[in-house]
Amino acid sequence: MTNQRSPLLQRPVMREQFRKELRGRLMSEAVAVLAPRPSRFSFAATLRPALAAAAILVLVLAGATSAAASSLPGDPLYAVKRASEDVRLALTFDDVARTQLLSELTDRRLEELAEIAKKRPSSAPTATQEYADAVNNFANALDDLRAASSDEKRAAAQALAEAARAKHKAVLDALKDQLPADAQSDVQKINDDEQERTSPANDPGRGNPGGQGGRPSNTPAKPTPKK
């Protein structure tokens, strides 16, 4: 009996068309896989949030400064108002312009004191001290201008002093009775000191009895001996 063997299976042959399609697909996949990927760190991408945060900070500070403009001594935003004024002073280098700015700030402190007297008398001591400090700074700047060698600077000092002396005295005289009793004496003392320090007698060019540089001497006067 003859054993019949089943014919061997033929070896599969890849069609040429399929080979081309497969090769093309593999090549396209390789291009996508091997393509250089963008770096995770990007300077522009990092800088963008920082610029946005800076812009927000500028807007917040500008809004706070604007809101603080009408603040009074004792208000939460008053410190922002004073800080912005200090920046202006620090950036003002001309002596005459700086003294003019100090005069304007003294006027502002006096306006605040008047508002405090009407709206919040309990804050009068704080507002009074703010005004006293402003008067002192203004008077010191006047002394420096008066001691300058420039005639123009001395003339500017005299004009600023005369304007401030007249204006502040009129306002304080009208305001004094509106303040609490314990603040009235302080305001009167500030007024008297300002009138003395801004008077022409403190001009070195006119013969200052107060001492060098236009600043009044702190040495007490000797009592006149009795005859």
Side-chain angles (χ1 to χ4, degrees), residues 95 98-99 102 136-146 157 197 215:
D95 293 342
R98 180 180 175 82
T99 306
L102 287 170
N136 186 62
N137 293 334
F138 174 53
N140 287 339
L142 283 177
D143 291 342
D144 293 336
L145 280 185
R146 285 165 167 167
R197 293 196 63 184
R215 288 178 172 83

Side-chain angles (χ1 to χ4, degrees), residues 6-14:
S6 59
L8 295 174
L9 295 176
Q10 294 183 357
R11 184 178 180 180
V13 179
M14 184 179 297

Side-chain angles (χ1 to χ4, degrees), residues 158-172:
Q158 187 60 29
L160 289 171
E162 290 177 355
R165 187 169 61 252
K167 177 168 52 178
H168 296 171
K169 184 178 187 307
V171 175
L172 288 174

Side-chain angles (χ1 to χ4, degrees), residues 9 13 24 82 95 111 152 188 208:
L9 295 176
V13 179
R82 296 288 285 107
D95 293 342
E111 293 172 0
E152 294 182 359
Q188 183 61 50
N208 175 28

